[in-house]
Amino acid sequence: KAQLIVDLQTLGLSCLMCGDGANDCGALKAAHVGVSLSEAEASVAAPFTSQVVSIECVPRLLREARASLATSFGIFRFIVLYSFIEFASALILYKIDSNLGDTQYLFIDFPVVGSVLLMCLTVPASTLSTARPSGSLIAAMVLLSIIGQVFIQVIFQLGMYEHLQEQGSWYVPLDVTAAPNDKHIKCVENTTIFLFANFQYIVMAIIFHAGRPFRRPLYTNILFVTLLVGMTIIMIYLVLGPDHNSRNVLDLAEISSHSFRWSIIGIAIANAAASFLFEFGVAKNPRVHDRWRRLKGMGYRNRYKNITIDVRMSKWPSQALTRNAEISSTAV
């Protein structure tokens, strides 16, 4: 049995071995995944032990493993985007000799940490998908998603800042010479960038929540949805009409223009739409990856994957075969 596992591995196949006896220990250790169907000798050699003496545990094990991998990669991408969004906010404010305040950093970190913790509560999907999650942090799909989303968030932040600069009589640019020793936190520029960036954090948390086909949909994670809805309501409140105490605690300047407040929400919605279109229309589109691999002359290590791509990219069955089949069925 162990030799058979080794021979299959030399063909480039990933092997899973189920066994319930001492004679299966060698194969269980040699396989990529070993599942013991008993709590006797085989359980010592296998990393997984099933309480059900049947191979029906294998689909559940695969669903749990794929869900864990998808969750880990989703959290990784969310943390990367969170860091880049905050970094872009700080750079924009550094340009005018301003910065985010301590309470603002604290306000940002609480929902971010909560999102990371609650994102893990989504359970695996009820059915096993034919697709598999990416197994590498430097895979094309992962890098394309990260680089594209970073570009989109930075562009929209810069656009939000430029939109502020174009405002009329109500907007007074920050004058750092008036108080050279001040940190210049409570200004319109800081308030605008801070409020807009928080919408971006919420959008990234939704996008990088790894749902189907490896985990249940987002709405099944009640606590995570509650956090997102609560944060969205709080941000809308802070944009449209915060009270005096909220502005003092978060070092927010008063925005006197109601139309500009609504424009912050409008641009945030446009930002969310662009992010969703890119993520699900490009970064997670299997046809985009298949075409990229064909252009680069790249293939998969598994032969069946290359055959699947050829069938998917080719127009099969051809029109000639379809026409001949229709003629044959008509003649019969």
Side-chain angles (χ1 to χ4, degrees):
K1 295 178 182 179
Q3 185 60 46
L4 175 61
I5 295 295
V6 173
D7 291 340
L8 292 174
Q9 290 174 340
T10 57
L11 298 177
L13 300 176
S14 298
C15 300
L16 182 147
M17 173 66 186
C18 294
D20 59 355
N23 60 331
D24 299 320
C25 291
L28 289 171
K29 294 190 67 174
H32 292 99
V33 181
V35 180
S36 172
L37 302 180
S38 70
E39 298 182 1
E41 298 89 348
S43 62
V44 179
F48 299 99
T49 301
S50 173
Q51 296 181 348
V52 180
V53 189
S54 172
I55 61 173
E56 65 183 13
C57 64
V58 173
R60 180 178 178 181
L61 176 62
L62 293 176
R63 287 190 287 111
E64 293 281 354
R66 292 180 179 182
S68 300
L69 187 60
T71 302
S72 300
F73 277 44
I75 292 175
F76 168 77
R77 287 185 289 178
F78 174 68
I79 293 298
V80 171
L81 262 296
Y82 151 71
S83 302
F84 270 101
I85 292 172
E86 195 171 66
F87 179 64
S89 301
L91 283 184
I92 293 174
L93 295 177
Y94 280 159
K95 178 184 176 183
I96 59 173
D97 199 17
S98 180
N99 194 7
L100 294 171
D102 294 336
T103 54
Q104 292 176 342
Y105 278 117
L106 191 63
F107 181 85
I108 294 171
D109 290 341
F110 269 116
V112 168
V113 173
S115 298
V116 171
L117 295 177
L118 298 180
M119 203 180 289
C120 304
L121 298 182
T122 306
V123 298
S126 56
T127 58
L128 183 63
S129 172
T130 56
R132 293 192 299 178
S134 177
S136 173
L137 289 175
I138 59 173
M141 183 179 70
V142 178
L143 293 180
L144 177 63
S145 174
I146 293 175
I147 295 174
Q149 293 294 354
V150 167
F151 179 78
I152 292 173
Q153 310 317 312
V154 172
I155 289 298
F156 270 92
Q157 273 205 39
L158 292 174
M160 188 71 251
Y161 179 74
E162 291 299 324
H163 179 59
L164 173 64
Q165 301 298 311
E166 297 171 356
Q167 295 305 301
S169 59
W170 71 270
Y171 169 63
V172 178
L174 175 64
D175 184 10
V176 296
T177 60
N181 296 325
D182 192 15
K183 294 183 179 180
H184 309 114
I185 294 176
K186 198 170 185 177
C187 59
V188 178
E189 292 87 352
N190 172 286
T191 301
T192 301
I193 295 299
F194 168 74
L195 295 176
F196 185 76
N198 275 277
F199 284 111
Q200 292 182 318
Y201 299 135
I202 296 172
V203 172
M204 290 299 100
I206 297 174
I207 287 179
F208 292 135
H209 172 273
R212 292 172 177 172
F214 309 115
R215 301 203 301 169
R216 297 286 180 87
L218 173 65
Y219 60 81
T220 60
N221 191 338
I222 304 300
L223 292 178
F224 188 48
V225 172
T226 303
L227 174 66
L228 295 177
V229 172
M231 282 302 303
T232 303
I233 294 175
I234 292 174
M235 292 313 305
I236 293 176
Y237 166 73
L238 291 177
V239 171
L240 297 181
D243 60 90
H244 182 72
N245 292 330
S246 299
R247 289 201 302 267
N248 286 339
V249 171
L250 294 174
D251 294 322
L252 300 179
E254 184 177 1
I255 299 176
S256 58
S257 173
H258 292 281
S259 60
F260 182 74
R261 294 177 184 176
W262 282 105
S263 68
I264 295 177
I265 297 177
I267 296 176
I269 294 175
N271 187 358
S275 300
F276 274 95
L277 286 175
F278 172 79
E279 187 69 20
F280 298 103
V282 178
K284 290 186 177 180
N285 190 338
R287 290 186 175 273
V288 174
H289 295 281
D290 294 345
R291 291 186 182 277
W292 173 256
R293 285 182 173 273
R294 290 172 70 91
L295 289 175
K296 289 291 185 178
M298 300 168 59
Y300 289 96
R301 290 178 298 176
N302 303 88
R303 294 178 58 189
Y304 75 89
K305 275 194 172 183
N306 295 320
I307 296 174
T308 302
I309 291 175
D310 291 336
V311 172
R312 183 190 301 164
M313 300 301 295
S314 62
K315 295 181 179 179
W316 191 91
S318 64
Q319 295 181 358
L321 290 176
T322 306
R323 192 179 304 109
N324 292 336
E326 292 176 353
I327 295 173
S328 300
S329 60
T330 304
V332 173

